[in-house]
């Protein structure tokens, strides 16, 4: 069912304009993947600068660096950006770049849908940011949304949120959400239908398994958010009453719908991170992943359990105690499969000969930091304790440990690890180490004290605080960590830019790795593999490198 | 295990089918959002009118029969295409489109009655809000399905359909059409049965 | 399963890779503009509509009637044959070291241990407070707040609900600990019975001693630590014995810990 | 994490210097807004649960990070390492072990959590409880007490809540606009105030004091400025306070100029002063001067702050729902003097 044409060589255009055009019309999964990652990194810097502004405001009590509304816009845009415009596209980007290569395919199942998804994400993000200009309806000075990233009703109703800023939030996220949905359909289909000969499900790299589960989670969770956003839009533009207490509408409905999306969302964010770690740790420990089958089972388990815990974000809204109890129990349960993963990674390192190159450093950092975030999550799941901690800085500490200490560390590791594959050049080790240690230090300086200010009673989302409450020191330390972290990120970005221009040439397989993406040249040709590989075990390249002792005997 | 495992397996599901299944799966979650909202708000409106006062079951039943039977005609159309019987295919496809359009027209006249005679709009009360959004989104999906079927009919009339190549594509569209029908069963149950109980 | 109308039973894109197209970009741009129109101006929607239609048409033309592909280097449409792998020779790598199929033994050990623990506990109730029901009711105090405030008389009588609850808790905990014994005892350096029968209970009792007030305030009011420790030892010994009798697990004693744990290297070689 | 423990240990001492402050003639310590000095049974139980959880998590933390650090140190690649280490695909018993142990921990945690939930989360009022209604507004608090003498009436108070020591307080939580959350850590954990829904909460203050807290659910612009104060005082003083609040506003002839400005301007449409105006949109001012703070705890209440507040509330609390009415200095003085008499 195809017609063949000679290659158009769009990439090989000479002028800058031609090259840009080549990127704009591409449907090549690798280029789309790179565009996703680069766009997400840009949004990461923007979101980080918004965070830095917040921290500057909170450096001392009763500061007036930002207005109250300015601060509220900052955390709304920061949270929204980080979750929807950094986390989601980051995973879509890596998934795009890696999944076809890892399963030995020439492209995604629906290449054009893939490009469509990318543009929707990017344009949706830009639409959201356009609110800084058009938020008040093109008439005023503009204003970003200021309702928080979960936009609780009725604060989002026309009565309490005038102008158009909230509509921008809805529309921007909805449009980029359509992009994520396209990507999810693509992932599931690609993984089920495009595997090379011999790549059975239980031989897929764990990263691919995670993307499969993520695909399903997106398909389950995101449409519910879209439905809720449509309802809100109807409320705001047509006078419907879904979330209107004046007309007996319920504020709880939004929360249920949002968190039914929102909780799976956080696992949507972290599972690809788990995937990166599951690829990097074995290669640098020189050992096969410990307990592949149980890892797969745990992933699927996390996927299922995560659909049944959403009300742990609603422990203080006055649900009946039995419901709270139920959700507390299911939330605790999720630590079992997550724990299995942590232990299996450590067991993979155990007895290995670990090379601590930058990707592995980041993964080790991930292991150390994510456990802290996970354990504070467990504390939050204990309802009585949460009545004290919910909506305090303790929660902010928790989720930055899992999101930054987990997700971002894994992403930075993944960027370093796959950079040679994508560009053909290595990133600099020395700069890599600098960025790692700076980020690790800055990260802990910023987010560890948040737990203390939270336990001392500091609520989140406050633009300022009274001097007499014992929070000054912690906030000062937190803010002081930001420049350190910023420097670390800057070193990392600089390393990327510099290395892509004049890093040492990498070769096809610089890390001596085992999955199929390393079986082709770096960067891979447009068609990925000159001949589609045939897979003999979960580590096809191990089998090629050690034909005398192949893995397939042990599966 | 032994070297036999090194033999490649080659069977993979069809891309089109998996993709369409994903789309349908996703859409059903979208609808469950609205269905849940409907169920959540049954009987909670602050002011009237109430479903019992304004909704009429009989015309809707007729429409439902039209929509549901279009599932059978579309199957017949797919079969016809598969066997290369283009005239039969066009006939059944036209019948499907006709039934779908009838349904849409039915919704339209129901809405006109509600808005003009009964004074129920989306802004009237919670019932209006949930009713119009749920039924409206369903109608929107019927409309999208009709567009797709219409395109196929057009291609058929232009003689551009090739049974071997295009049956699978048509069949996928027909899956979507079945999905729209199944959703209607849920919507109907929610709105006209559960929602009407005193 | 497989449908004759499906794509050939091989990998799609064997013959080419998809051709670039600007369709998706325009379609995405158009769709975004149409949404943006809701907060800007109707004109934006019209521009968006035109872009979207143009984009979707371009997109459709790239897929229909047949997908437009770019050709590949010759020979690329044949998958690479698998490498010549040698049959299994060495056994330097292992997947399942340690014990063989001892899980059933663990469950049985858990049950047996649970019974002997219950016997000791009930014995304590009878001897010290003259009631077999007291320890049972107290156990359910982990879960039922009112037990913490109930009087000794109430707690000494049979309470069907609490009884069922306590049995459930006891059963679940014993089964899990039994399972744990099966997998950990073989790893103990020597004399698994002493480890499982004494060291385990010591640790556990110590932990509970520190936290009983929060874990089970009801129990805290009445507990006698020697008896409690006794009941734990009874569990440990019974369970440990059942488990260790089920298999010759001491084959591994003498190996270094890493190896017994099966983490460092395959155990059985 | 070790740091965490160290900090947890010093936290209570860290903020424990009681600040003495006078309200209605008595000296009351100001209790900082955290959970480590529980002043009643609810927060006490939560605190002990917190220690349990902290202990368990700390234990897990030490074990996991210990294993991690050990393998980092022990298994790093060394000079002269050749070839690949032994490949180990997994171990069912080992994996079972680290499935079972967390499951057991989770099982225990779930049992204990559920017990404590049921213990503190009463859906019926505790015995001998006194009922108060708390209503959240953007961005201030309204409290409604049963009238001390008139069984059908209510006493409406703004921003500072007074309660008798040792009596369980059963609080009905309601919202006038968006979601807020009532959180005074030393007394009880937070509960949200939802529009269209009545939530409940109970606490008991066992020692007299001024308990601080603040709104804990983001509610718009001035969420940060929605502070909470609960004054727990001996029963007799509390009764005297309530009787005072139930009385009509002081009517002082010498400030009638200010009073008539107050009445003629928009003030009276928003604010209630019993016997003078009955606006319900904003804090009741009948006994304004019985409070020690203004603008829901944002500043000490004295003549200067009051005057500058009326001049332009947006300076102290930018974004708040009270507009500046642009009074002339003379009018300002008059209104301020009038309000100063509302004891
Ligand atoms: C990547 C994102 C991510 C991840 C992975 C998690 C993981 C977890 N989260 Fe977190 N969470 C967020 C992101 C994430 N969270 C965000 C963004 C919010 C705030 C949203 C907002 O309000 O803005 C939030 C808020 C949040 C709350 C609500 C707080 C509140 O607002 O009141 C709760 C409550 O239960 C919670 C719990 C958990 C739990 C139990 C886990 C578990 O999955 C953790 C499991 C991991 C471990 C436990 C560690 C490893 C396990 C072992 C070593 C085994 C042994 C351990 C035991 C037996 C306990 N999270
Ligand atoms: C992936 C998710 C993610 C990440 C990575 C971060 C990163 C950071 N977050 Fe984030 N945060 C959230 C997700 C995330 N956050 C979410 C979901 C919320 C909730 C929002 C809500 O309540 O609605 C939140 C809320 C939140 C708050 C609470 C706001 C409040 O409740 O009042 C704070 C406060 O300090 C904060 C701080 C930070 C800081 C300092 C960083 C730092 O780590 C950022 C570091 C990065 C940089 C500083 C980048 C800048 C780098 C440069 C400038 C280098 C120069 C570059 C070049 C030269 C090219 N965040
Ligand atoms: Cu009220 Cu925050
Ligand atoms: Cu969650």
């Amino acid at each position: 069912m195809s017609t063949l044409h000679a290659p158009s060589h769009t990439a090989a255009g000479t002028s800058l304009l031609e090259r840009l055009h080549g990127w704009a019309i591409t449907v090549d999964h690798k280029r789309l993947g790179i565009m996703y990652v680069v766009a997400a990194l840009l949004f990461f810097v923007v979101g980080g600068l918004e965070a830095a502004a917040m921290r500057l405001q909170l450096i001392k009590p009763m500061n007036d660096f930002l207005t109250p509304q300015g601060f509220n816009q900052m955390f709304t845009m920061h949270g929204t950006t980080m979750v929807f415009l950094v986390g989601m596209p980051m995973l879509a980007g890596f998934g795009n770049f890696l999944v076809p290569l890892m399963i030995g395919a020439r492209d995604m199942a629906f290449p054009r849908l893939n490009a469509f998804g990318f543009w929707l994400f990017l344009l949706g993000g830009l639409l959201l940011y356009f609110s800084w200009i058009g938020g008040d309806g093109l008439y005023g000075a503009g204003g970003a949304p200021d309702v928080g990233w979960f936009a609780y009703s009725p604060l989002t109703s026309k009565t309490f949120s005038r102008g158009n800023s909230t509509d921008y939030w809805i529309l921007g996220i909805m449009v980029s959400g359509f992009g994520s949905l396209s990507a999810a359909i693509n992932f599931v289909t690609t993984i089920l239908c495009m595997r090379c000969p011999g790549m059975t499900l239980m031989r897929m790299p764990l990263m691919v398994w995670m993307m499969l589960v993520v695909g399903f989670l997106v398909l389950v969770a995101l449409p519910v958010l879209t439905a809720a956003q449509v309802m809100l839009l109807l409320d705001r533009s047509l006078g419907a009453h879904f979330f209107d207490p004046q007309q007996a509408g319920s504020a709880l409905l939004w929360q249920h719908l949002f968190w039914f999306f929102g909780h799976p969302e956080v696992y949507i964010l972290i599972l690809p991170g788990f995937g990166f770690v599951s690829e990097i740790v074995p290669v640098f420990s020189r050992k096969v992943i410990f307990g592949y089958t149980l890892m797969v089972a745990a992933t699927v388990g996390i996927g299922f359990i995560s659909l049944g815990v959403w009300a742990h974000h609603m422990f203080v809204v006055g649900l009946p105690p039995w419901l709270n109890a139920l959700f507390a129990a299911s939330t605790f349960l999720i630590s079992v499969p997550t724990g299995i993963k942590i232990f299996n990674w450590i067991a993979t390192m155990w007895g290995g000969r670990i090379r601590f190159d930058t990707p592995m450093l980041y993964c080790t950092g991930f292991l150390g930091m994510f456990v802290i975030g996970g354990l504070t999550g467990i504390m939050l799941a204990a309802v009585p304790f949460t009545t004290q901690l919910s909506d305090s800085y303790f929660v902010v500490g928790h989720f930055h440990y899992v999101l930054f200490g987990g997700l971002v560390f894994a992403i930075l590791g993944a960027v370093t690890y796959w950079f040679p594959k994508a560009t053909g050049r290595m990133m600099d080790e020395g700069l890599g180490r600098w960025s790692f240690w700076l980020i690790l230090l800055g990260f802990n300086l910023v987010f560890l004290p948040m737990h203390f200010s939270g336990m001392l009673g500091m609520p989140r989302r406050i633009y300022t605080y009274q001097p007499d409450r014992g929070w000054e020191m912690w906030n000062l330390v937190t803010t002081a960590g930001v420049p350190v972290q910023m420097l670390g990120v800057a070193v990392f970005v600089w390393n990327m830019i510099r290395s892509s221009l004049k890093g040492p040439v990498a070769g096809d397989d610089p890390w001596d790795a085992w999955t199929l993406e390393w079986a082709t040249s770096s960067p891979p040709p447009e068609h990925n593999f000159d001949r589609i590989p045939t897979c003999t075990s979960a580590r096809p390249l191990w089998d090629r490198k050690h034909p005398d002792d192949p893995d397939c005997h042990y599966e | 295990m032994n070297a036999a495992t090194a033999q490649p397996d080659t069977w993979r599901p069809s891309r089109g089918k998996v993709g369409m299944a994903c789309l349908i799966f996703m859409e059903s979650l979208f609808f469950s959002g609205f269905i849940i909202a409907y169920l959540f708000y049954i009987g909670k409106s602050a002011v009237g009118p109430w479903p019992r006062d304004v909704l009429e079951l009989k015309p809707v039943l007729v429409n439902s029969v039209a929509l549901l039977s279009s599932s059978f005609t579309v199957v017949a159309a797919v079969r016809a295409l598969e066997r290369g019987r283009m005239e039969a295919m066009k006939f059944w496809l036209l019948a499907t489109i006709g039934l779908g359009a009838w349904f849409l027209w039915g919704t339209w006249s129901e809405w006109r009655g509600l808005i003009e005679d009964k004074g129920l709009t989306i802004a009237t009360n919670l019932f209006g809000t949930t009713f119009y959004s749920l039924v409206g989104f369903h109608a929107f999906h019927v409309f999208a399905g009709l567009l797709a079927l219409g395109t196929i009919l057009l291609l058929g009339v232009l003689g551009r359909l090739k049974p071997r190549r295009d049956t699978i594509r048509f069949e996928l569209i027909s899956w979507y059409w079945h999905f729209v029908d199944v959703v209607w069963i849920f919507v109907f149950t929610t709105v006209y049965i559960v929602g009407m109980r005193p | 399963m497989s449908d004759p109308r499906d794509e050939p039973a091989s990998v799609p894109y064997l013959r080419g890779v998809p051709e670039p197209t600007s369709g998706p970009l325009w379609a995405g741009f158009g769709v975004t503009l149409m949404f943006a129109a809701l907060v800007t101006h109707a004109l934006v929607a019209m521009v968006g509509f035109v872009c979207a239609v143009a984009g979707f048409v371009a997109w459709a033309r790239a897929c229909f009637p047949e997908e437009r592909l770019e050709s590949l280097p010759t020979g690329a449409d044949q998958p690479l044959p698998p490498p010549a792998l040698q049959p299994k020779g060495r056994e330097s790598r292992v997947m399942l070291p340690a014990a063989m199929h001892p899980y059933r033994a663990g469950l049985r050990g858990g049950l047996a241990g649970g019974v002997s623990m219950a016997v000791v506990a009930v014995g304590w109730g009878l001897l010290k407070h003259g009631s077999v029901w007291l320890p049972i009711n107290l156990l359910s105090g982990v879960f039922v707040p009112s037990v913490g405030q109930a009087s000794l008389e109430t707690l000494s009588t049979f309470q069907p609900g609490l009884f069922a609850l306590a049995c459930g808790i006891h059963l679940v905990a014993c089964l899990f600990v039994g399972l744990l014994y099966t997998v950990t005892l073989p790893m103990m350096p020597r004399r698994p019975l002493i480890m499982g029968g004494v060291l385990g209970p010591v640790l556990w009792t110590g932990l509970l001693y520190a936290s009983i007030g929060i874990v089970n305030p009801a129990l805290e009011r009445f507990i006698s630590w020697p008896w409690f420790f006794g009941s734990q030892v009874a569990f440990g010994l019974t369970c440990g014995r059942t488990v260790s009798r089920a298999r010759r697990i001491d084959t591994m004693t003498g190996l270094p810990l890493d190896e017994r744990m099966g983490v460092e290297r395959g155990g059985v070689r | 994490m070790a740091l965490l423990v160290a900090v947890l240990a010093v936290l209570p001492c860290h903020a424990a210097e009681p600040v003495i402050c006078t309200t209605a003639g008595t000296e009351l310590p100001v209790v900082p807004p955290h959970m480590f000095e529980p002043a009643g049974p609810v927060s006490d139980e939560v605190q002990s649960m917190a220690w349990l959880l902290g202990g368990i998590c700390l234990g897990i933390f030490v074990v996991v990070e210990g294993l991690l650090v050990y393998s980092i140190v022990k298994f790093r690649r060394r000079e002269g390492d050749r070839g690949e280490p032994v490949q180990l695909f997994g171990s069912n018993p080992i994996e079972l072990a680290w499935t079972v142990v967390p499951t057991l921990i989770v099982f225990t945690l779930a049992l204990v959590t559920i017990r404590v939930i049921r213990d503190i989360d009463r859906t019926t009022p505790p015995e001998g409880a006194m009922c108060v209604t708390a209503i959240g507004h953007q961005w201030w608090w309204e409290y409604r007490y049963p009238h001390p003498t008139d069984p059908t009436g209510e006493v409406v108070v703004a921003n500072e809540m007074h309660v008798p020591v040792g009596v369980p307080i059963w609080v009905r939580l309601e919202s006038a606009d968006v979601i807020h959350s009532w959180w005074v850590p030393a007394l009880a954990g937070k509960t949200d105030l939802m529009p269209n829904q009545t939530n409940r909460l109970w606490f008991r203050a066992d020692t007299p004091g001024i308990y601080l807290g603040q709104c804990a659910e983001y509610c718009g612009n001035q969420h940060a400025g929605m502070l909470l104060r609960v004054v727990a005082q001996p029963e007799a003083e509390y009764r005297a306070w309530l009787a005072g609040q139930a009385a009509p506003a002081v009517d002082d002839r010498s400030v009638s100029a200010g009073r008539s400005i107050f009445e003629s301007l928009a003030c009276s449409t928003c604010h209630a002063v019993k016997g003078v105006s009955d606006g319900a949109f904003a804090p009741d001012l009948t006994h304004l001067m019985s409070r020690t703070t203004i603008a829901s705890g944002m500043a000490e209440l004295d003549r200067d702050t009051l005057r500058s507040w009326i001049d332009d509330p947006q300076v102290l609390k930018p974004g708040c729902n009270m507009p500046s009415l642009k009074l002339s200095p003379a009018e300002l003085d008059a209104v301020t003097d009038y309000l100063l008499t509302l004891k």
Side-chain angles (χ1 to χ4, degrees), chain C residues 122-131 227:
Chain C
V122 167
W124 164 75
L126 259 181
L127 290 179
K128 293 279 164 150
H129 298 279
S131 159
W227 278 90

Side-chain angles (χ1 to χ4, degrees), chain A residues 188-203:
Chain A
V188 173
T189 313
T190 306
I191 294 170
L192 291 182
C193 309
M194 310 277 285
R195 283 165 288 137
C196 69
M199 175 76 72
T200 57
L201 285 177
M202 290 311 275
R203 279 179 183 169

Side-chain angles (χ1 to χ4, degrees), chain B residues 3-75:
Chain B
T5 26
Q7 287 303 313
D9 73 324
T10 46
W11 183 80
R12 300 282 181 264
S14 137
R15 275 186 289 167
K17 287 185 177 173
V18 174
M20 183 51 82
C22 287
L23 181 77
I24 288 176
F25 183 61
M26 174 191 118
E27 292 268 30
S28 33
L29 276 135
F30 179 79
F31 273 105
S32 21
F34 282 92
I35 291 182
I36 287 168
Y38 197 97
L39 294 172
F40 190 85
Y41 281 142
I42 285 179
K44 296 224 177 94
S45 298
V47 294
W50 308 90
R52 287 188 302 288
D53 309 334
V54 291
L55 291 187
E56 281 175 61
L57 203 52
K58 221 174 281 157
V60 179
L61 266 177
V62 177
N63 287 335
S64 309
V65 170
L67 187 65
L68 296 186
S69 46
S70 72
S71 255
F72 295 99
T73 54
V74 84
V75 168

